[in-house]
Amino acid sequence: MAASRGRRITTTIAALAAIGLTAGLTTGCDAVNKALDCVQTADTIADSVTDLQQAVENASNDPTQLDESLASIDKNLDKIGDKTDNADVNKAVDDLNKAVSNVRTAIKNGDNTPDVSPVTDAAGELTKVCTS
């Protein structure tokens, strides 16, 4: 798992550098800051999704971890949504919100080990949109 996080951090740093160079040549600092915020928040969401996956695996030991992980994702999605007017980013945020809502519904309906793969997929799409 540490290798996966290390690769994600390396990818994030490379994406930040590319965004910084490209945006610095074509736009003002505000656009660069928005792009950096998107990438940083997407990376934080990726960490929250990893925590959610672990919470599902450990649900029988501590069911509160599921709620905490979902709340963390929600909080970070709000940050991205407030800082961007990019249609692709907003769609990715909406898709991730829907996936999180579906997991919440599954938990409410008694599923202590819901399928979080749609959340993982949507988080991956958000990261892709933020870094492209």
Side-chain angles (χ1 to χ4, degrees):
M1 181 139 0
S4 169
R5 185 169 284 188
R7 279 192 298 272
R8 187 171 57 246
I9 290 171
T10 301
T11 301
T12 301
I13 290 169
L16 289 172
I19 289 169
L21 289 173
T22 303
L25 294 172
T26 60
T27 62
C29 291
D30 193 41
V32 172
N33 288 336
K34 283 184 179 182
L36 293 175
D37 286 342
C38 184
V39 171
Q40 290 167 341
T41 306
D43 190 48
T44 301
I45 288 172
D47 289 341
S48 297
V49 170
T50 300
D51 293 344
L52 176 61
Q53 290 169 324
Q54 291 173 346
V56 168
E57 291 172 12
N58 298 321
S60 61
N61 297 332
D62 186 3
T64 62
Q65 285 182 344
L66 288 170
D67 285 333
E68 290 169 10
S69 297
L70 292 168
S72 175
I73 293 169
D74 284 338
K75 182 178 98 178
N76 287 300
L77 285 174
D78 288 344
K79 285 182 189 177
I80 290 178
D82 292 343
K83 293 182 180 181
T84 187
D85 55 3
N86 180 295
D88 292 334
V89 171
N90 284 328
K91 182 181 179 333
V93 167
D94 289 346
D95 290 347
L96 187 48
N97 270 325
K98 182 178 176 184
V100 167
S101 177
N102 289 341
V103 170
R104 283 189 190 285
T105 299
I107 293 169
K108 233 181 247 189
N109 291 336
D111 186 352
N112 290 328
T113 56
D115 178 14
V116 295
S117 61
V119 174
T120 304
D121 294 344
E125 182 61 26
L126 177 61
T127 300
K128 187 172 95 177
V129 169
C130 283
T131 58
S132 61

